[in-house]
């Protein structure tokens, strides 16, 4: 299945796009991946002589794959979303726990399971693993997704 249409609908561009591809998506959840580029500006100074991906960027990667991609899919599958319409997206809550660092050039896999999607709010349980399958971080993310025409 080609997920390019979902990735193309994301409201992000490089250098703030943290989705390289989607491996699977259905009404229950999503799996996607991203490789952190060594020339990303956030590595400068974080930390001296040992660049580490900031936790807020790991959270953003989880949100883009696990929340926004899934939300766009759910809106599309429910025929709520028309291809020409724009979607307003806002992160409403996040609770993340971090276990391992991610360094430049590391590929991560994000999985997300839908907890619920109702009244324009999507809540998901997300996990990020490194290329060796080790748990990097996990948590609960929630966001609001509305069509611009909804006001």
């Amino acid at each position: 299945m080609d997920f390019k249409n979902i990735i193309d609908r994301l409201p992000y561009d490089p250098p703030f796009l943290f989705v390289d591809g989607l491996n699977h998506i259905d009404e229950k959840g999503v799996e996607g991946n991203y490789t952190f580029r060594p020339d990303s500006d956030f590595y400068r100074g974080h930390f001296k002589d040992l660049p580490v991906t900031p936790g807020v960027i790991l959270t953003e990667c989880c949100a883009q794959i696990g929340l926004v991609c899934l939300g766009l899919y759910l809106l599309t599958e429910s025929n709520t979303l028309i291809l020409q319409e724009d979607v307003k997206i806002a992160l409403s809550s996040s609770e993340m726990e971090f276990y391992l660092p991610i360094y430049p050039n590391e590929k991560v896999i994000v999985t997300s399971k839908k907890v619920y999607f109702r009244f324009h709010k999507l809540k998901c349980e997300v996990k990020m693993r490194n290329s060796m399958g080790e748990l990097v971080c996990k948590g609960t993310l929630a966001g609001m997704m509305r069509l611009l025409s909804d006001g």
Side-chain angles (χ1 to χ4, degrees), residues 1 19-20 25-26 30-31 36-37 49-50 55 77-78 81 92 115 119 121 124 133 136-138 141:
M1 182 177 220
V19 182
D20 286 336
I25 194 164
D26 62 25
V30 62
E31 178 182 285
F36 286 93
R37 280 109 181 116
D49 302 319
L50 183 62
E77 288 301 300
S78 68
L81 183 63
S92 58
V115 175
F119 305 115
K121 185 171 185 175
C124 299
V136 172
C137 61
K138 68 177 183 176
L141 301 174

Side-chain angles (χ1 to χ4, degrees), residues 21-35:
L22 299 176
N23 308 326
H24 174 80
I25 194 164
D26 62 25
E27 67 281 346
K28 296 177 185 176
V30 62
E31 178 182 285
N33 61 80
Y34 182 74
T35 301

Side-chain angles (χ1 to χ4, degrees), residues 66-67 70 112-115 122-126 139-142:
L67 198 65
L70 180 58
S112 173
K113 289 184 182 177
K114 178 182 73 174
V115 175
L122 176 60
K123 184 175 184 178
C124 299
E125 298 292 330
V126 297
T140 304
L141 301 174

Side-chain angles (χ1 to χ4, degrees), residues 33-105:
N33 61 80
Y34 182 74
T35 301
F36 286 93
R37 280 109 181 116
D39 60 345
S40 296
D41 196 50
F42 51 79
Y43 287 125
R44 291 183 13 190
H46 193 264
F47 292 93
K48 287 182 182 181
D49 302 319
L50 183 62
V52 175
T53 308
V56 68
I57 300 295
L58 297 177
T59 301
E60 181 65 26
C61 180
C62 286
Q64 287 185 20
I65 294 172
L67 198 65
V68 182
C69 287
L70 180 58
L72 289 172
Y73 174 83
L74 294 171
L75 288 171
T76 302
E77 288 301 300
S78 68
N79 292 319
T80 304
L81 183 63
I82 300 169
L83 291 177
Q84 296 86 353
E85 290 185 288
D86 287 322
V87 178
K88 291 189 281 187
I89 299 168
L91 185 67
S92 58
S93 65
S94 66
E95 183 178 321
M96 297 292 288
E97 297 176 15
F98 302 93
Y99 303 102
L100 294 173
I102 291 295
Y103 301 105
N105 272 329

